[in-house]
Amino acid sequence: MENTQFLVSLGLILATFALYIGIAIYNKARQTSDFYVAGRGVPPVFNGMAIGADWMSAASFIGMAGTVMLLGYDGLAYIMGWTGGYLLLTFLLAPQLRKYGRYTVPEFIGDRFDSHTARVIAAICTIIISFTYSVGQLSGSGVVIGRLLEVDAKIGVVIGVVLISFYAAFGGMKGITWTQVAQYVILITAYIIPVIFMSLQITNNPLPWLSYGTIVQELGEIDRQLGFKEYFAPFDTGSKWQFMALMFTLMAGTAGLPHVIVRFYTVSTMKAARWSGAWALLFIGLLYLTAPAYAAFSRFILMKNVVDQPINNLPAWTESWIKTDKLKIADTNGDGILQWNELMISNDIVVMATPEIANLGVFIIGLVAAGAMAAALSTAGGLMIAISSSFAHDIYYRVLRPNATDQNRLLVGRITIVTATVLAGVIALNPPGAITQIVAWAFALASGTFFPALLLGVWWKRANAQGVIAGMLVGLTVTISYLVAAKYYGFTIFGIIDTGAGVFGAASAIIAIIVVSLSTKAPSQKLQEEVVDLRYPEQMTYKDGDVWIDK
């Protein structure tokens, strides 16, 4: 059985890898606009799928249901924050940034504020945010490959690094866009099918979104019987302030994530950018509405089939996961029976392990492994393009060598991708936290730097270069300081831990931008007019000059 499972999972993963690499080769980037913005020719519905894949990282696919399963109600802050942030991005920023017509977020900031200094600081912020995020993705690919090959997750990370380096460097944004469309289809299928089977198995209803409410109530009963706090009791693991701070950090971080914003540059018009956001919300909603059901069914099956069983007679799947070091079982009271509090399960393995726990068969288990890899790889690819474009386009081309040839810029972009992937892989070998936690840090950094800069850059024409430079530096410093103080020294304000640091970063950055902008010279009239123009739909005129139509 174990051999059959290995062959089926490996076969499915290799088939999907071959598909991704084939798409990257077919859509090879031949010029810089292909490499950075896919030639601006992606239809909105496919861009929505690519945004969905870019967005639904290993944290969403592998980590989120596990986080909700272990935290209960408090885990919903992740779902609400990540989804709500998409609305902020789609309505407040994406169409306006697309209308400005640049390649990257640092390029927008540099040109909007007419400042090379602002451009370089924004490029450095992009590299820091995307790098932090990519450590979480590579850590996720390590979990998947480690379980599949039954090796340490560290070897899995190394394999992930090699694969991402190849197809991100080769295809650029054009290759990655179409790869991400394929990855979205694979990951959403792999996520929803197991939940449908579990729902049928437990409730005889094939629609998990409608059936899992009864299971949540049953879990509450089981928790009461065992003397635990109820699964759906709010603010059990943290304060209300932490819940709100985490939700804000994820929302503002979403609206400021450079690798997501750049996806809106790949469409032809402002209107197409809005439609891309609408499609993306639909495609993302499919997974995010399914995650709480996944969490409830997983916890229920563990409670019923694994807890209260003799430790020397546990299901075979437990042995496989213990080898990856993500599952630990300790008979602390020495009675030979496994209690819930003696089961130490990493929230990073819940989605991967549940098809085995529910005994859904070799094909479904293999499909989930392929889906998890698709999620980790699609986001990692987008992140590497963001890092590459920040260095090769914003620093190397726009500041250091403005006369560099197209070929030269592509080469620097590809070298940057390989270097960044290898460095992120080295850190992912011994990650500083769980996947969702590492990703939340990236969002905290984005909410403390880019969200204030972009929000005021688009909606407040008085914001100037000195203000935005001060804002990004203050926001970055406050966010990193709070992250380190909360994570390593136990310092908190109102019980807000490291994952909610973005609320302090964003507030301090907004104040800094406003105070410094008002105490220094206003931007030129030309820049202020450009900012006001951003807020209106793109227009084009017919030759007679008297009829305007909205694009």
Side-chain angles (χ1 to χ4, degrees):
M1 169 68 185
E2 191 63 43
N3 281 343
T4 311
Q5 179 59 67
F6 171 76
L7 291 171
V8 170
S9 299
L10 187 64
L12 281 166
I13 286 183
L14 289 177
T16 55
F17 282 4
L19 177 68
Y20 307 151
I21 289 168
I23 291 170
I25 291 169
Y26 181 75
N27 290 290
K28 184 184 177 187
R30 288 178 171 81
Q31 51 196 46
T32 44
S33 71
D34 285 346
F35 194 80
Y36 293 128
V37 290
R40 300 202 200 275
V42 183
V45 65
F46 291 113
N47 200 40
M49 278 188 190
I51 292 168
D54 214 346
W55 181 240
M56 287 180 301
S57 59
S60 292
F61 191 99
I62 301 173
M64 193 165 59
T67 301
V68 175
M69 188 190 95
L70 295 172
L71 296 183
Y73 184 97
D74 293 2
L76 295 178
Y78 282 95
I79 292 176
M80 292 156 75
W82 277 334
T83 314
Y86 239 88
L87 293 171
L88 274 184
L89 179 58
T90 303
F91 289 112
L92 283 182
L93 297 174
Q96 290 76 14
L97 293 175
R98 170 62 193 91
K99 188 177 180 185
Y100 210 68
R102 301 299 188 267
Y103 280 175
T104 65
V105 175
E107 191 172 28
F108 167 80
I109 288 173
D111 291 356
R112 151 66 181 92
F113 294 101
D114 193 23
S115 163
H116 268 334
T117 309
R119 186 193 321 279
V120 172
I121 292 169
I124 292 166
C125 289
T126 298
I127 292 166
I128 294 170
I129 293 162
S130 301
F131 191 79
T132 306
Y133 204 151
S134 61
V135 170
Q137 303 317 305
L138 289 166
S139 176
S141 65
V143 171
V144 183
I145 298 171
R147 166 65 189 93
L148 174 69
L149 303 179
E150 285 188 25
V151 291
D152 194 293
K154 290 181 172 59
I155 297 168
V157 169
V158 174
I159 296 168
V161 166
V162 173
L163 193 77
I164 293 160
S165 298
F166 175 81
Y167 86 83
F170 199 79
M173 182 57 94
K174 188 177 179 186
I176 279 177
T177 298
W178 294 106
T179 307
Q180 284 173 338
V181 170
Q183 283 164 334
Y184 175 78
V185 173
I186 290 163
L187 75 87
I188 202 69
T189 307
Y191 201 82
I192 289 176
I193 285 178
V195 192
I196 290 171
F197 277 119
M198 282 193 286
S199 184
L200 270 170
Q201 214 177 63
I202 300 168
T203 66
N204 291 321
N205 181 338
L207 298 174
W209 310 278
L210 303 179
S211 67
Y212 82 97
T214 55
I215 297 303
V216 170
Q217 285 177 325
E218 281 192 55
L219 283 170
E221 287 294 323
I222 295 170
D223 286 341
R224 277 195 292 276
Q225 287 164 17
L226 294 171
F228 296 153
K229 192 156 183 184
E230 285 178 32
Y231 175 59
F232 48 80
F235 315 122
D236 179 25
T237 52
S239 66
K240 286 182 189 176
W241 289 108
Q242 163 60 15
F243 188 92
M244 298 297 285
L246 175 59
M247 200 162 72
F248 172 83
T249 296
L250 298 177
M251 284 178 74
T254 300
L257 268 187
H259 80 283
V260 172
I261 291 171
V262 78
R263 288 243 53 95
F264 289 92
Y265 294 168
T266 62
V267 291
S268 52
T269 64
M270 199 174 176
K271 185 177 177 184
R274 283 199 182 92
W275 272 106
S276 293
W279 281 112
L281 207 53
L282 171 71
F283 294 135
I284 290 163
L286 270 175
L287 188 138
Y288 280 25
L289 289 170
T290 310
Y294 216 126
F297 290 142
S298 301
R299 191 180 175 103
F300 184 78
I301 291 168
L302 279 171
M303 289 272 198
K304 288 284 190 184
N305 299 356
V306 181
V307 174
D308 288 338
Q309 299 296 314
I311 283 183
N312 59 6
N313 192 30
L314 290 175
W317 65 266
T318 53
E319 197 182 320
S320 307
W321 278 106
I322 287 168
K323 284 179 190 169
T324 66
D325 210 29
K326 295 284 181 182
L327 178 72
K328 294 185 177 77
I329 288 166
D331 188 10
T332 45
N333 61 6
D335 65 354
I337 303 293
L338 182 67
Q339 271 82 42
W340 177 253
N341 54 5
E342 294 174 334
L343 180 71
M344 282 159 281
I345 185 165
S346 162
N347 54 2
D348 292 345
I349 72 165
V350 170
V351 168
M352 292 294 301
T354 296
E356 293 174 77
I357 297 167
N359 204 15
L360 296 180
V362 290
F363 183 78
I364 302 294
I365 296 166
L367 185 65
V368 170
M373 280 307 296
L377 294 174
S378 59
T379 305
L383 289 164
M384 289 309 152
I385 289 291
I387 291 172
S388 162
S389 57
S390 289
F391 180 76
H393 183 72
D394 297 312
I395 296 176
Y396 178 75
Y397 172 61
R398 292 297 303 264
V399 178
L400 300 177
R401 285 196 58 193
N403 57 350
T405 63
D406 248 22
Q407 212 171 2
N408 194 251
R409 288 162 62 196
L410 281 174
L411 179 66
V412 172
R414 287 182 167 127
I415 291 168
T416 309
I417 285 178
V418 174
T419 310
T421 313
V422 171
L423 287 175
V426 169
I427 296 172
L429 290 174
N430 189 17
I435 297 170
T436 35
Q437 188 183 24
I438 296 168
V439 168
W441 297 341
F443 280 78
L445 292 167
S447 62
T449 52
F450 283 139
F451 178 68
L454 295 173
L455 183 73
L456 295 176
V458 168
W459 296 103
W460 189 42
K461 64 181 182 178
R462 180 67 179 74
N464 65 13
Q466 294 91 326
V468 84
I469 289 166
M472 286 190 292
L473 291 175
V474 167
L476 186 66
T477 307
V478 168
T479 308
I480 291 176
S481 303
Y482 195 90
L483 275 174
V484 172
K487 167 84 175 155
Y488 297 105
Y489 300 101
F491 171 81
T492 61
I493 298 171
F494 302 126
I496 296 169
I497 59 169
D498 53 327
T499 49
V503 75
F504 300 109
S508 56
I510 287 170
I511 292 166
I513 292 172
I514 292 171
V515 170
V516 174
S517 291
L518 290 176
S519 55
T520 50
K521 192 172 168 232
S524 70
Q525 192 59 35
K526 178 176 171 289
L527 281 180
Q528 292 193 47
E529 283 169 11
E530 276 182 12
V531 174
V532 172
D533 182 56
L534 278 183
R535 301 169 198 170
Y536 299 98
E538 286 174 306
Q539 292 183 315
M540 61 184 184
T541 178
Y542 290 122
K543 281 182 182 169
D544 60 7
D546 58 9
V547 183
W548 292 82
I549 59 164
D550 182 9
K551 262 190 186 172

